[in-house]
Amino acid sequence: MYPEIRITEDMKIRAKDKYNNIRLDPTRDKRQFASEGRRLLYGYLGEMIVMEYYGVGDVDDYEYDIVLGEYKTDIKSISCKFKPPLNYLASVNSCEIEGDHRQDADIYMFVRIREDCEVAWLVGFIECERFFSMSKFLNKGETYHGMTFDKANMNVLPIRNLHRIQ
């Protein structure tokens, strides 16, 4: 169903190094909600996983993480306890108080990383504009399908609506 990736020690070390060298832009302070330690570390690990899978380098721009072919790609990674089923949600957080923040990327790629950081799944990708046209916008604190999203405004879309990764 999804490519399953074994996470190597090298991937973990590179993610930790990137995490240890982060420089947050003080002009973007409202966007720093994602800088909570463990979440940011999972994000960097997701980047390492995708870079290794596709054999590409890091761009490390706020707007996108890598370039795949001609597409600026932002990698969205979160932790999980097990391989996610198709009805689970792909999500894009927003720092905007009154809406969503759309990055200057062409594609979102979604990665789920098991909490023990031993395995990850590349659950799919989607064109950014298509994601926003198909997804459900949730205000910070809103409950959707029994889950309360309390970190930020966000858009959510079931994984089954993403393009599969081969």
Side-chain angles (χ1 to χ4, degrees):
M1 175 168 49
Y2 320 119
E4 182 173 286
I5 310 298
R6 290 281 162 203
I7 299 171
T8 66
E9 284 305 310
D10 181 62
M11 290 175 191
K12 293 176 193 178
I13 289 167
R14 289 185 294 141
K16 186 77 165 181
D17 287 346
K18 189 169 180 178
Y19 174 80
N20 288 335
N21 290 312
I22 187 169
R23 289 180 191 85
L24 294 176
D25 183 345
T27 65
R28 294 182 166 167
D29 59 349
K30 67 180 182 177
R31 297 180 184 172
Q32 292 181 16
F33 72 89
S35 64
E36 300 166 2
R38 194 113 179 114
R39 285 179 48 172
L40 191 55
L41 194 52
Y42 281 120
Y44 288 146
L45 185 54
E47 291 175 24
M48 299 308 140
I49 291 163
V50 174
M51 286 189 295
E52 179 103 0
Y53 186 79
Y54 285 102
V56 298
D58 193 4
V59 172
D60 197 25
D61 185 277
Y62 177 77
E63 299 296 331
Y64 58 96
D65 300 311
I66 62 173
V67 176
L68 288 177
E70 60 192 56
Y71 300 104
K72 297 179 288 187
T73 305
D74 194 58
I75 302 163
K76 302 296 185 185
S77 307
I78 59 173
S79 65
C80 60
K81 295 184 184 317
F82 48 81
K83 184 176 182 175
L86 290 171
N87 66 317
Y88 273 37
L89 300 173
S91 60
V92 175
N93 291 343
S94 176
C95 61
E96 302 300 326
I97 295 179
E98 296 288 331
D100 57 32
H101 171 74
R102 299 183 186 207
Q103 291 166 280
D104 183 25
D106 303 310
I107 293 173
Y108 289 129
M109 182 167 300
F110 297 90
V111 179
R112 289 289 180 107
I113 300 169
R114 198 169 66 198
E115 288 177 344
D116 64 5
C117 294
E118 295 299 318
V119 67
W121 297 273
L122 306 181
V123 298
F125 71 95
I126 191 168
E127 301 81 1
C128 296
E129 287 308 313
R130 185 171 185 209
F131 175 83
F132 284 107
S133 71
M134 294 174 62
S135 63
K136 165 96 172 126
F137 177 78
L138 302 171
N139 285 300
K140 179 180 177 179
E142 192 171 340
T143 299
Y144 180 72
H145 290 238
M147 295 176 57
T148 301
F149 295 88
D150 57 2
K151 296 286 183 194
N153 294 343
M154 70 173 37
N155 288 73
V156 296
L157 182 70
I159 290 171
R160 72 175 156 269
N161 295 111
L162 303 175
H163 302 294
R164 295 289 133 237
I165 296 173
Q166 304 299 319

